[in-house]
Amino acid sequence: MRRLVWSLMSVAALALAGCGNAPDSSQNATSGGESANSGTPAQANQITGTVTLRDAADVSPSAKLDLVLVDVSAQDASPLATKTVEPANTFPLAFQLPFNAADVNPGGLYVLKATLIDGDRHYTPPLQTQVLTKGAPTQVSIQLVAEQTPGEKELAAFTAVQKQIGGMKISNGTKLEDKVSRGWQVFREAGEVKFIREEVDYGDKGFTSTDYAYKDGKPWVVVQQKKSSKDAKPSATERAAWTQDGSLVLKTTETGGKTTPLGDDEAANLQKQGQTILSLATNGKGK
């Protein structure tokens, strides 16, 4: 009888051990919450996270954040999801981007593109943010960096040309008018006017020192300093720049260390001055 009892107990123990080792269908996902087959987070249906700025900046209430989730491994792929968050001027900025999980390609390479737009200023991440598949997360922290505005790009290119004028061919000119004394230097490269530096003394009405840069015979960038006299410090500095198609992309005035927008009429006046001095300095030839 004792042998029979022990045998029955042994059978029961083996049965229990077998049950403990049986595969559990609920354990098919990896420890990271990803499907063992697809590498995609189980039941993921949204990307969440925060957006910050790498450098402190004053962002206006009209700023907006554009989010685009796209498979960059597929050429001309339509975005899996898009969203615009506005206003987007408080950081860190939390976001949620829902998507249809059924549309996810497990073998795809998904990137979350984030662009903060504030007027002419764009902020973008220095590196792409991979999400969703191939072990990438669905919760991210994105840091954005300010890009140059179109106007700042033109001004930087102007500064580069300005540093090169010493190696250009130089000619000079002057003109005396009623209560106005005008003098200039013309800088040419390959027979083309690239730069003109002009000084105008208006007597009691003040003094201006202006740098004009040209492309294809047209004013490109103008930087004008206004002073009470030739040797005085600038009371104001006005800047304007235009693209090849004539679009005004820079219009600022700096007074007392503070920069504010320059009016369209004032920018147009700087452009007109650039055309006038080019004609005067080249005897109407424009080169």
Side-chain angles (χ1 to χ4, degrees):
M1 177 64 70
R2 181 173 297 179
R3 288 182 180 179
L4 179 59
V5 171
W6 280 110
S7 297
L8 292 174
M9 291 177 64
S10 298
V11 171
L14 289 172
L16 289 172
C19 292
N21 292 330
D24 185 351
S25 60
S26 66
Q27 297 179 0
N28 285 340
T30 65
S31 60
E34 298 175 353
S35 168
N37 295 324
S38 68
T40 303
Q43 298 180 346
N45 60 4
Q46 66 178 359
I47 303 296
T48 62
T50 57
V51 169
T52 58
L53 301 183
R54 187 176 70 179
D55 302 311
D58 291 329
V59 180
S60 74
S62 61
K64 64 178 183 178
L65 176 68
D66 286 339
L67 299 170
V68 180
L69 177 60
V70 63
D71 180 4
V72 295
S73 67
Q75 189 174 8
D76 299 326
S78 298
L80 181 61
T82 63
K83 186 176 184 179
T84 297
V85 179
E86 54 184 334
N89 62 330
T90 303
F91 302 94
L93 178 64
F95 69 85
Q96 294 179 333
L97 179 60
F99 60 87
N100 186 356
D103 293 336
V104 175
N105 174 16
L109 182 63
Y110 287 88
V111 167
L112 178 60
K113 298 181 179 181
T115 304
L116 179 68
I117 303 172
D118 187 17
D120 290 337
R121 179 79 64 193
H122 285 203
Y123 298 80
T124 57
L127 299 174
Q128 289 187 328
T129 305
Q130 187 179 342
V131 294
L132 195 59
T133 58
K134 301 183 184 300
T138 56
Q139 184 173 5
V140 294
S141 178
I142 301 176
Q143 191 176 69
L144 303 180
V145 177
E147 296 181 349
Q148 284 185 318
T149 65
E152 288 171 342
K153 291 178 181 178
E154 300 298 339
L155 190 59
F158 164 84
T159 301
V161 172
Q162 192 178 43
K163 292 178 180 179
Q164 298 171 1
I165 62 175
M168 299 180 186
K169 184 178 179 180
I170 305 174
S171 60
N172 301 279
T174 60
K175 184 178 181 181
L176 294 176
E177 303 170 352
D178 183 26
K179 297 182 181 180
V180 176
S181 175
R182 189 183 305 269
W184 62 82
Q185 288 182 305
V186 180
F187 301 84
R188 291 180 173 89
E189 187 175 62
E192 183 179 352
V193 175
K194 295 291 186 180
F195 209 91
I196 295 179
R197 177 163 288 166
E198 180 192 36
E199 292 185 339
V200 183
D201 190 343
Y202 295 95
D204 294 340
K205 294 184 178 181
F207 186 94
T208 61
S209 176
T210 312
D211 284 349
Y212 304 91
Y214 298 85
K215 281 186 177 180
D216 299 327
K218 299 178 181 179
W220 163 40
V221 179
V222 179
V223 178
Q224 184 171 91
Q225 293 181 335
K226 295 183 176 181
K227 309 176 182 181
S228 59
S229 64
K230 181 176 181 179
D231 298 325
K233 293 183 178 180
S235 58
T237 300
E238 297 179 347
R239 299 179 178 89
W242 299 265
T243 58
Q244 286 291 88
D245 64 2
S247 299
L248 178 63
V249 292
L250 175 69
K251 50 176 184 176
T252 64
T253 180
E254 183 179 345
T255 305
K258 184 179 180 181
T259 300
T260 56
L262 180 68
D264 289 345
D265 290 342
E266 287 79 2
N269 184 48
L270 291 179
Q271 187 179 40
K272 183 178 179 180
Q273 289 182 45
Q275 294 167 337
T276 300
I277 188 60
L278 178 63
S279 178
L280 177 63
T282 63
N283 296 318
K285 297 178 181 179
K287 62 179 181 179

